[in-house]
Amino acid sequence: MSRTYALQDLHEAVSFLSDPLLRARLEEGVRVVADRVAQGDRLVTLMGGKIDALKLVSSLTLFELAALRLAASPGNQELATFATRCEQVLAVAQMQGFPRCQFTLESIRTN
């Protein structure tokens, strides 16, 4: 099921972040996760299990790069804040045994 709804590449992630409603919903979700992990919550507990923690890490791996790409263009500097928040969650994930998704990174490199 996760592959059915997965974004196919960095271009789709950039398009997702370019939609104001989708971006606002994603930013809010990532803000909540960032706040909770900053309070000491473990990703596995917060996400309801290891599989969903891995899905979160994969998503944030992709969206951090998409946000950085958009933030480099005029008028999108607020996405640098979102990218930083993604990086903060990913840093905590790394400490909890969930490094950035290598499959996602390799997929981006080959596209």
Side-chain angles (χ1 to χ4, degrees):
M1 186 64 77
S2 64
R3 291 182 192 252
T4 302
Y5 298 104
L7 297 176
Q8 295 304 306
D9 54 27
L10 187 59
H11 175 75
E12 283 191 19
V14 167
S15 293
F16 187 100
L17 288 177
S18 296
D19 180 285
L21 180 60
L22 294 175
R23 184 171 91 200
R25 289 177 178 172
L26 180 61
E27 287 175 330
E28 178 62 15
V30 172
R31 186 194 60 75
V32 169
V33 171
D35 289 350
R36 295 288 299 272
V37 297
Q39 294 171 15
D41 289 351
R42 297 199 48 81
L43 278 180
V44 171
T45 303
L46 184 60
M47 300 309 296
K50 182 178 178 180
I51 297 295
D52 286 331
L54 289 167
K55 288 178 188 177
L56 174 71
V57 168
S58 178
S59 294
L60 294 185
T61 299
L62 178 63
F63 281 114
E64 177 189 30
L65 294 173
L68 288 170
R69 179 173 283 187
L70 280 171
S73 59
N76 287 317
Q77 288 74 29
E78 74 279 356
L79 280 165
T81 301
F82 174 72
T84 298
R85 190 166 280 141
C86 289
E87 194 281 325
Q88 291 167 342
V89 173
L90 288 166
V92 171
Q94 171 79 35
M95 290 188 292
Q96 294 181 11
F98 298 100
R100 279 180 171 76
C101 181
Q102 291 305 306
F103 177 81
T104 300
L105 291 170
E106 187 59 36
S107 296
I108 291 168
R109 280 188 208 107
T110 59
N111 286 330

